[in-house]
């Protein structure tokens, strides 16, 4: 099964990253999560170190462009097949880095992709 990593994960139920984790789990997508604070959402442990992840197919971003910068190399090093830039995370500088590394860039909403069966 292909694994998704939610970057910018939060235990706050009002955050879209939290909703994404819950919907991914509800859709039987193997889900892992990274955030600055630990915790658990729908049985998914939020880890605070990107080195802990491997075999990631999709990274779905919930970090603003300025907060993405420090994670560029770590995300590239995960060698995901694609990175989804959710609304508010659009970042042409990072698109170029990912595309140069052979990683697909998708500017979309994970929640919409799941709801419409396009995930």
């Amino acid at each position: 099964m292909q694994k998704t990593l939610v970057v910018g994960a939060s235990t706050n139920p009002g955050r879209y990253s939290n909703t994404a984790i819950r919907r991914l789990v509800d859709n039987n997508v193997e889900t892992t999560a990274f955030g600055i604070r630990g915790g658990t959402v729908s049985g998914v442990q939020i880890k605070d170190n990107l080195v802990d992840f491997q075999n990631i197919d999709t990274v779905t971003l919930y970090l603003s462009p300025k907060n993405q910068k420090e994670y560029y190399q770590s995300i590239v090093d995960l060698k995901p097949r694609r990175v989804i830039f959710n609304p508010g995370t659009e970042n042409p500088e990072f698109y170029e880095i990912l595309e140069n590394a052979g990683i697909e860039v998708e500017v979309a909403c994970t929640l919409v992709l799941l709801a419409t069966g396009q995930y």
Side-chain angles (χ1 to χ4, degrees), residues 23-77:
R23 297 259 173 83
L24 287 161
V25 169
D26 290 348
N27 280 275
N28 299 312
V29 175
E30 187 177 353
T31 306
T32 57
F34 166 78
I36 56 170
R37 289 183 204 82
T40 304
V41 176
S42 289
V44 175
Q45 180 186 0
I46 299 172
K47 297 182 179 180
D48 63 1
N49 189 339
L50 277 173
V51 181
D52 294 340
F53 301 100
Q54 52 190 307
N55 302 318
I56 301 298
D57 175 73
T58 300
V59 170
T60 182
L61 283 177
Y62 289 92
L63 290 175
S64 68
K66 74 177 181 80
N67 290 327
Q68 292 168 20
K69 204 171 201 79
E70 69 182 284
Y71 301 111
Y72 285 1
Q73 193 59 53
S74 297
I75 290 171
V76 169
D77 290 348

Side-chain angles (χ1 to χ4, degrees), residues 2-22:
Q2 298 182 338
K3 194 184 311 182
T4 294
L5 170 61
V6 177
V7 173
S10 172
T11 57
N12 179 342
R15 305 292 297 199
Y16 284 113
S17 64
N18 183 289
T19 303
I21 293 169
R22 290 184 278 117

